C-alpha cells in the first residue's frame, strides 16, 4: 500500500513538472474550406473542400500558431481558453491576433465520433477558415 501511495505521488509530481515545460505541437493539413457571411449577415455555405498539404505548428513557448501556407499565417496567442469536452468533441481554443493585428479565435477540435478526426478552425467576424489536420 505504501508503494502504491509513492507511485501516485510520483505520478502527480511528474504531471506538475511536465506542465511547467512549454511544448510545440506539429500538424499537417489535408483539406481546406471557407465559410463566409452573406451581405445580410447570415452564414453562407462552406466552400468545396480543397486538398492542401501544409504544416501547422502550435508553439506554447512562443505563444503562437503558424500555418505555413503560401503566405505564412502567424497568430499570436493572447489567451488560452479552458479545454471543453462533450460526447462528440474535445475542443482547445485560443484568442489570437493575426499578422495584421486582427482578432480571431482559433479552435482545434477532435471529433470523437468521427474516428478522432482533428480540425483547425480560424474564426473571424465575417469568415471562418477550416483545415482538416492530423498529428505528425
Amino acid at each position: 500500500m505504501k508503494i502504491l501511495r509513492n507511485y501516485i505521488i510520483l505520478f502527480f509530481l511528474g504531471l506538475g513538472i511536465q506542465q511547467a515545460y512549454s511544448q510545440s505541437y506539429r500538424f499537417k493539413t489535408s483539406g481546406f474550406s471557407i465559410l463566409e457571411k452573406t451581405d445580410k449577415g447570415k452564414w453562407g455555405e462552406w466552400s468545396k473542400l480543397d486538398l492542401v498539404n501544409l504544416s501547422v505548428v502550435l508553439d506554447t513557448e512562443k505563444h503562437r500558431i503558424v500555418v505555413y501556407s503560401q503566405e505564412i499565417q502567424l497568430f499570436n496567442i493572447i489567451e488560452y481558453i479552458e479545454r471543453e469536452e462533450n460526447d462528440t468533441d474535445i475542443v482547445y481554443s485560443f484568442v489570437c491576433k493575426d499578422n495584421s493585428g486582427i482578432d480571431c479565435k482559433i479552435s482545434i477540435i477532435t471529433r470523437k465520433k468521427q474516428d478522432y478526426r482533428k480540425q483547425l478552425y480560424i474564426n473571424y467576424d465575417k469568415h471562418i477558415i477550416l483545415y482538416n489536420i492530423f498529428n505528425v
Side-chain angles (χ1 to χ4, degrees):
M1 191 57 115
K2 189 173 183 180
I3 292 173
L4 179 61
R5 187 185 71 184
N6 288 340
Y7 280 117
I8 291 172
I9 290 170
L10 285 173
F11 173 75
F12 284 107
L13 283 174
L15 279 179
I17 290 170
Q18 181 181 7
Q19 290 178 350
Y21 294 102
S22 298
Q23 293 185 347
S24 184
Y25 303 90
R26 299 186 181 282
F27 305 95
K28 284 285 193 181
T29 65
S30 61
F32 163 82
S33 184
I34 295 179
L35 176 65
E36 295 181 300
K37 280 192 176 176
T38 65
D39 294 337
K40 295 181 180 180
K42 297 190 183 226
W43 291 107
E45 300 288 325
W46 283 102
S47 67
K48 179 179 163 266
L49 187 70
D50 289 327
L51 300 180
V52 63
N53 182 10
L54 305 173
S55 293
V56 176
V57 176
L58 164 59
D59 188 335
T60 59
E61 182 177 342
K62 295 180 181 176
H63 306 289
R64 68 183 189 184
I65 298 168
V66 183
V67 179
Y68 290 95
S69 54
Q70 186 172 352
E71 183 176 324
I72 294 177
Q73 301 170 61
L74 173 63
F75 302 93
N76 290 307
I77 299 171
I78 307 303
E79 178 184 351
Y80 292 80
I81 299 173
E82 189 171 333
R83 176 181 180 261
E84 299 174 39
E85 184 169 356
N86 57 40
D87 291 342
T88 59
D89 301 319
I90 302 169
V91 182
Y92 293 91
S93 294
F94 314 88
V95 175
C96 300
K97 283 200 181 288
D98 70 8
N99 305 32
S100 303
I102 299 171
D103 293 333
C104 61
K105 179 181 174 185
I106 296 181
S107 298
I108 298 173
I109 302 175
T110 302
R111 307 289 184 185
K112 292 180 182 179
K113 293 185 177 181
Q114 296 178 19
D115 203 25
Y116 288 84
R117 177 170 65 113
K118 287 182 176 26
Q119 295 181 307
L120 173 75
Y121 286 84
I122 305 170
N123 296 278
Y124 288 96
D125 288 338
K126 296 185 178 182
H127 69 281
I128 300 172
I129 302 168
L130 161 69
Y131 291 102
N132 288 327
I133 60 173
F134 58 92
N135 295 30
V136 288

